[in-house]
Amino acid sequence: MRTPSRWQRVRDVVLSTDRRRRTLVAMALLALVLMTSSAGVMLMVATASSAVNAVAVQWWAAISVGGMVVMTAFIRSGETARLSDPSLTVPQMVWTITSGAVAYVLAGDARGVVPAVLAMILFFGTFGLTVAEVIGIGVYALLAFGCAVAATTRFNASPFGYLDTAYALMVLIVLGGSIALNLRIQRIRARLQEQREALAQALAVNRDLATRDELTALPNRRAMQDLMELERRRNLRNGRPLLLAQLDIDHFKRVNDTHGHATGDRALQAFAGIVRASVRDTDVLARWGGEEFVLLLSDTQMDDARDLLERVRQAVAAMEIPHAAGVLRMTVSAGLALHLPGDMVEQTLERADQALYTAKSLGRNRVVVAPSGPRAARASAASS
């Protein structure tokens, strides 16, 4: 195992080793960097302008950055994972908007830099907020900066001039534009989410169509082949019995020819239902094609499998399917084969099919077990 580099160790300490938390901490650190940068700009303004209260700006910078540090540390601790907003997006935005409003009051003639910072704050939370939260944050920002503009007018020694009006209008424009764009982005996100859900549903339907028989809702031939191969490999590992049975509805062509394909479809559905009700939950019945079905019995002894198929045969014989001319009755023939070590699934199916052929040649409506010894299996194959 490769030893982590020093940079990787530092990164794990800062961001955490948990993938989800790493993302949240990284975003919180970005917000902290942005707040620190904004505080640096304000400190530069305070240094360059004698009209700005440098001490007040210093206190503002310490409190603003300190609040973001506390929230970042809280996220890094993992305690926010239990909250509905583990990234603390709303608290961070409320904090930064409040800090921006205070900065607008403190910046004096340089308050024109604040709208740019405000736009950055509002766009920062775009992808982490709901529509209701975007509206709520927008309303709060309007109120906060409205109070800031009023405070500037109230405490400014000089009269409210054109420059102050321009700053206030710029704040209003930035707020309105940011909220509108945020809502637009939210609508796009909602539409994309609907499209993703529709695509996921379509893919699920396609997967289902690819693995299920549409008429009987049973696994189809392709799905059954994959499952049988999986069971064969499992059989090699654990040595537990694996049996395959071929089932064929007797004289089914007569059903379609005499009563029509609609009645034949209902008969196939009824047959699938009665067989599934007669076998165990762990047994798998698949439609192999037409009126042919394959039953997979894993971890089952031969005597138990024979008894199960006999119950299936009796249940099918007792089944009654109403139709326009009366009641339809059916019988089923079955061939059962034990999977032999070293054989492929196709060989086991072939032996089950030979047993099914024997059942039909003996008069149908019966269960025949294929020879299970290697020598007997070769003899059966040779005789066929």
Side-chain angles (χ1 to χ4, degrees), residues 267-282:
L268 288 172
Q269 292 170 338
F271 174 83
I274 201 69
V275 175
R276 280 188 299 186
S278 303
V279 301
R280 304 168 305 178
D281 291 339
T282 55

Side-chain angles (χ1 to χ4, degrees), residues 36-365:
T36 304
S37 301
S38 301
V41 171
M42 284 292 293
L43 290 171
M44 289 175 57
V45 169
T47 302
S49 175
S50 58
V52 177
N53 188 329
V55 175
V57 170
Q58 290 170 1
W59 275 103
W60 170 88
I63 294 172
S64 298
V65 174
M68 295 300 291
V69 169
V70 170
M71 282 187 275
T72 301
F74 193 36
I75 294 171
R76 173 61 182 84
S77 70
E79 293 298 320
T80 62
R82 298 172 295 180
L83 303 177
S84 58
D85 181 17
S87 62
L88 298 182
T89 302
V90 172
Q92 287 186 78
M93 292 190 70
V94 169
W95 181 261
T96 52
I97 288 171
T98 305
S99 297
V102 174
Y104 185 86
V105 177
L106 297 177
D109 294 338
R111 65 178 66 94
V113 302
V114 175
V117 177
L118 174 62
M120 179 178 60
I121 293 170
L122 293 175
F123 281 118
F124 184 80
T126 296
F127 297 103
L129 299 178
T130 64
V131 173
E133 289 171 339
V134 168
I135 295 174
I137 289 293
V139 171
Y140 176 75
L142 284 171
L143 292 175
F145 275 86
C147 292
V149 171
T152 302
T153 305
R154 173 72 175 80
F155 297 110
N156 198 346
S158 59
F160 195 80
Y162 289 109
L163 190 59
D164 296 301
T165 302
Y167 288 157
L169 288 175
M170 183 57 66
V171 169
L172 182 63
I173 292 169
V174 168
L175 280 173
S178 298
I179 293 172
L181 288 174
N182 270 286
L183 291 175
R184 175 63 177 166
I185 291 172
Q186 294 297 326
R187 285 195 293 270
I188 293 173
R189 287 182 61 198
R191 188 161 60 247
L192 289 175
Q193 180 63 29
E194 291 175 358
Q195 292 174 349
R196 282 195 296 268
E197 291 175 356
L199 178 59
Q201 291 176 357
L203 290 174
V205 170
N206 287 336
R207 283 195 298 268
D208 194 60
L209 291 175
T211 58
R212 292 230 169 242
D213 174 61
E214 186 176 0
L215 179 64
T216 62
L218 295 174
N220 61 18
R221 186 175 188 137
R222 175 181 176 182
M224 191 59 159
Q225 286 174 327
D226 293 340
L227 182 58
M228 288 189 299
E229 179 59 25
L230 179 64
E231 288 297 325
R232 184 189 71 82
R233 295 177 183 176
R234 189 175 299 165
N235 172 262
L236 284 176
R237 292 194 303 269
N238 58 32
R240 294 176 179 174
L242 169 63
L243 297 102
L244 297 176
Q246 289 262 24
L247 291 81
D248 189 274
I249 301 175
D250 297 327
H251 302 298
F252 186 74
K253 187 175 183 300
R254 294 181 188 173
V255 176
N256 284 329
D257 292 344
T258 305
H259 306 291
H261 288 280
T263 300
D265 288 348
R266 290 199 303 272
L268 288 172
Q269 292 170 338
F271 174 83
I274 201 69
V275 175
R276 280 188 299 186
S278 303
V279 301
R280 304 168 305 178
D281 291 339
T282 55
D283 302 327
V284 181
L285 177 69
R287 188 179 181 190
W288 201 244
E291 70 274 19
E292 297 179 357
F293 296 79
V294 170
L295 180 63
L296 184 151
L297 305 164
S298 58
D299 196 14
T300 306
Q301 298 300 321
M302 177 60 77
D303 290 342
D304 295 331
R306 186 190 295 110
D307 292 341
L308 183 146
L309 284 175
E310 187 61 31
R311 290 196 301 272
V312 167
R313 186 193 66 80
Q314 293 173 3
V316 172
M319 183 172 58
E320 295 182 349
I321 303 171
H323 62 92
V327 174
L328 174 66
R329 296 181 181 274
M330 300 187 303
T331 59
V332 63
S333 299
L336 177 65
L338 173 68
H339 181 73
L340 302 176
D343 278 2
M344 300 301 292
V345 168
E346 292 77 8
Q347 293 173 283
T348 306
L349 277 175
E350 177 63 26
R351 292 172 47 236
D353 189 62
Q354 290 297 326
L356 173 62
Y357 178 81
T358 301
K360 287 184 172 295
S361 65
L362 292 174
R364 294 181 170 81
N365 191 24

